[in-house]
Amino acid sequence: MAGPDPALLSINAATVRAQWTLPRIIDGCARHGIRGIAPWRDQVAAIGLGDAAKRIRDAGLTVTGLCRGGMFPAADRAGRRAALDDNRRAVDEACALGARCLVLVVGGLPKDRAGTIVSRDLIGAREMVRDGLGELLEHAQGAGMPLAIEPLHPMYAADRACVNTLAHANALCDELCPKGSDGLGVAVDVYHVWWDPELAAGIARAGAADRLFAYHICDWLVPTTDLLNDRGMMGDGVVDLPRIREWMEAAGYRGMHEVEIFSQETWWKRDPDVVLATCRQRHAERS
Ligand code: ZN
């Protein structure tokens, strides 16, 4: 199998967030010949939306996604309203940055204002997600900003996302936009979905409806020592990345390959120039 086009490499800014601020990450991408970036809202807010947008534009980077919106479920109506308001702001920020999509981590069980889970009603949480998505979609469609539902590994169902498979994300898209994409699609992150026996079918189904908005890569380490912050560099774990890329390409995906690595004990401790050089090399050779 041929390796990926190096020009398709994008860096999720979390990959070097422990070492660098957003301006330095943007400069680093330029220095390493990396053409895409996916910033986080807190990184953007730290320097201001206008400044962030200008720096990214001046560097000629494609914004493969803004991280992130979502977190729809809440204990009460006021909480859900606050989440929706914040999501509308996230859509507007994504527009200002020229992002290809707003990535949505949809939220888990309802929490109170202090962030404590107050319910065991997972089915109800999924209904809140569907309803929240539907409401946000109206604003996003008006703004012309695609929304990408990112299914998360089921270990995060309680606290981060109760949409855990591509099949579930596809079903939500079908329910809310029955006639095809219409601004709602999915982000395929290999860390979350690599294990799924229905993955190939899910990618094909999303592609057929023009709903493949983003592709996030890293690797699954064995053992994984921290469920959130021990993602592996491509080639260091057990994910068959070339095969999943092949499925994405066969399904019609032509977008970038965004490296997203949260790594408290390894990559966040390395020289960030070494991290970016390694991303380039592993993208070319092991993805
Ligand atoms: Zn991701």
Side-chain angles (χ1 to χ4, degrees):
M1 196 184 310
D5 180 351
L8 293 179
L9 174 63
S10 173
I11 294 290
N12 185 295
T15 303
V16 285
R17 77 172 173 209
Q19 302 99 318
W20 278 345
T21 59
L22 187 57
R24 297 189 73 187
I25 298 171
I26 293 165
D27 292 346
C29 285
R31 209 163 49 244
H32 288 269
I34 293 166
R35 316 282 299 276
I37 191 169
W40 285 65
R41 291 181 70 199
D42 62 326
Q43 294 172 316
V44 170
I47 61 169
L49 180 60
D51 188 27
K54 182 177 187 315
R55 285 173 187 267
I56 290 170
R57 208 167 44 238
D58 289 350
L61 298 174
T62 296
V63 178
T64 47
L66 175 64
C67 298
R68 58 178 163 63
M71 299 294 169
F72 296 104
D76 55 24
R77 186 178 293 273
R80 292 193 288 281
R81 175 61 46 195
L84 190 59
D85 289 345
D86 187 56
N87 276 310
R88 290 200 182 102
R89 286 192 291 275
V91 165
D92 298 342
E93 290 165 24
C95 289
L97 293 165
R100 290 296 167 91
C101 62
L102 174 65
V103 174
L104 298 178
V105 170
V106 297
L109 291 166
K111 295 174 183 170
D112 63 18
R113 294 302 176 88
T116 304
I117 290 175
V118 294
S119 165
R120 293 186 169 87
D121 185 4
L122 187 59
I123 293 165
R126 288 176 170 147
E127 288 169 353
M128 289 180 196
V129 166
R130 180 201 57 208
D131 294 347
L133 273 171
E135 287 181 276
L136 182 61
L137 189 59
E138 283 181 36
H139 180 74
Q141 286 169 333
M145 178 50 57
L147 300 178
I149 303 169
E150 181 165 327
L152 260 53
H153 191 287
M155 64 187 170
Y156 299 116
D159 60 345
R160 290 178 188 272
C162 58
V163 173
N164 307 107
T165 62
L166 205 43
H168 187 180
N170 276 325
L172 277 168
C173 292
D174 283 341
E175 184 179 349
L176 293 166
C177 297
K179 291 187 181 131
S181 166
D182 210 13
L184 184 63
V186 298
V188 176
D189 185 324
V190 298
Y191 185 76
H192 297 298
V193 299
W194 72 276
W195 55 273
D196 184 352
E198 307 297 328
L199 179 58
I203 289 171
R205 182 174 152 200
D210 211 11
R211 287 177 181 144
L212 291 171
F213 291 174
Y215 180 45
H216 301 172
I217 59 174
C218 65
D219 213 334
W220 182 275
L221 300 175
V222 179
T224 291
T225 60
D226 184 290
L227 298 183
L228 187 62
N229 293 325
D230 189 29
R231 293 184 178 211
M233 179 64 68
M234 297 81 73
D236 286 347
V238 296
V239 179
D240 191 345
L241 289 161
R243 177 172 293 199
I244 298 175
R245 174 170 59 85
E246 195 174 44
W247 291 339
M248 292 290 290
E249 290 170 355
Y253 181 73
R254 299 290 177 265
M256 298 183 89
H257 309 154
E258 179 184 316
V259 177
E260 184 179 30
I261 298 176
F262 313 150
S263 174
Q264 191 85 56
E265 297 302 323
T266 306
W267 298 103
W268 284 349
K269 290 188 171 172
R270 301 262 169 97
D271 174 347
D273 276 303
V274 171
V275 177
L276 293 188
T278 307
C279 288
R280 261 202 80 107
Q281 184 203 357
R282 298 296 186 84
H283 173 249
E285 296 174 3
R286 305 297 296 272
S287 305

